[in-house]
Amino acid sequence: MKPGSYADHHSPPPPRRPWVVGVSGASGTPYAAAVLRGLLAAGESVDLVVSRASRLTLLDETGVAFRDAHWREDLAAWLARGADGKPGTFTGDLAPSLADVRYWAAGDLAAGPSSGSYPSKGMLIVPASTACVAGVALGLSKDLLQRAASVTLKERGKLVVAVRETPLNGQTLGHLVTLDQAGAVVLPASPAFYAGATHIQDLVDFVAGRVLDAAGVAHGLYRRWEGGLGGSREQ
């Protein structure tokens, strides 16, 4: 049809392109919460995959039980908690931003992110356990989190792996090299102190901010280095 025709004014909207966020069983669920808050604050769509092991970690670190049937209210309770586990730290109304979060059960291997034809901007694994790292590096796809990561790599998408473990043995180091060679960004959850941290949340936000930096998502989670010594002490 010619420009200005009926078809031009009723073209389908662009497809939803979320960031897939995978939360594995490593300690560090506050990192995941900070990344999720950062994505939602930036207006990004999110597809969330919470591994079965991470539910135990989440319960232990925050007191939040993450349930498939009540995931939205459990997610809201989780995101409202600070890094110290205190509820109500982030008191803003999360309802509007959670409207564009889609949750996929970890055992659902028919879920959208399991296919390369599913539109996404990439995947962030925060935190990534050594078992998760091994599974992705070896292409095991034992659950949706690993499968979605493997799909992201094969489609040459952006994959950020925020590994949270110390010390690292030779096996894990080899798996991380494999992921790096496959095109993933290997991002250890290592807080820095030049940003003037005064609270545990500042250290968590630094790592979350670096994850978002690697994804190319704008945020204001930490003070950036500007070349001036002692800048953090002047705040």
Side-chain angles (χ1 to χ4, degrees):
M1 293 188 178
K2 296 180 180 180
S5 67
Y6 176 88
D8 290 326
H9 292 290
H10 292 78
S11 57
R16 177 179 177 274
R17 293 188 66 228
W19 284 99
V20 180
V21 177
V23 186
S24 81
S27 176
T29 54
Y31 292 129
V35 166
L36 288 166
R37 284 192 297 265
L39 289 171
L40 296 175
E44 299 285 350
S45 300
V46 172
D47 275 22
L48 179 62
V49 181
V50 178
S51 78
R52 297 177 70 177
S54 70
R55 296 176 188 226
L56 296 176
T57 310
L58 180 61
L59 182 62
D60 183 55
E61 293 182 342
T62 70
V64 173
F66 199 90
R67 303 160 294 175
D68 286 346
H70 304 279
W71 70 266
R72 194 175 295 276
E73 60 198 77
D74 293 341
L75 177 60
W78 176 23
L79 297 188
R81 275 171 159 74
D84 55 7
K86 292 181 180 178
T89 301
F90 297 92
T91 56
D93 184 6
L94 290 169
S97 55
L98 290 182
D100 204 13
V101 176
R102 184 176 294 172
Y103 169 71
W104 302 97
D108 185 2
L109 291 177
S114 69
S115 172
S117 66
Y118 184 77
S120 76
K121 292 185 177 181
M123 183 172 185
L124 316 175
I125 306 178
V126 189
S129 66
T130 55
C132 173
V133 166
V136 177
L138 297 174
L140 298 182
S141 295
K142 75 179 185 69
D143 61 9
L144 178 59
L145 196 159
Q146 292 184 13
R147 171 59 185 170
S150 296
V151 165
T152 302
L153 287 177
K154 81 178 182 69
E155 297 295 325
R156 301 297 189 267
K158 174 73 73 174
L159 176 64
V160 182
V161 180
V163 60
R164 216 304 308 162
E165 185 59 272
T166 189
L168 296 171
N169 63 25
Q171 258 190 331
T172 299
L173 290 169
H175 292 148
L176 292 173
V177 169
T178 297
L179 291 179
D180 176 78
Q181 292 173 341
V185 176
V186 175
L187 196 151
S190 302
F193 295 86
Y194 63 78
T198 59
H199 190 276
I200 185 175
Q201 188 67 52
D202 299 324
L203 298 175
V204 167
D205 284 347
F206 178 86
V207 172
R210 295 298 287 152
V211 171
L212 295 177
D213 287 345
V217 176
H219 67 87
L221 288 177
Y222 69 89
R223 171 186 171 273
R224 297 183 181 276
W225 178 253
E226 296 178 348
L229 294 177
S232 64
R233 295 191 298 274
E234 295 172 0
Q235 291 187 325

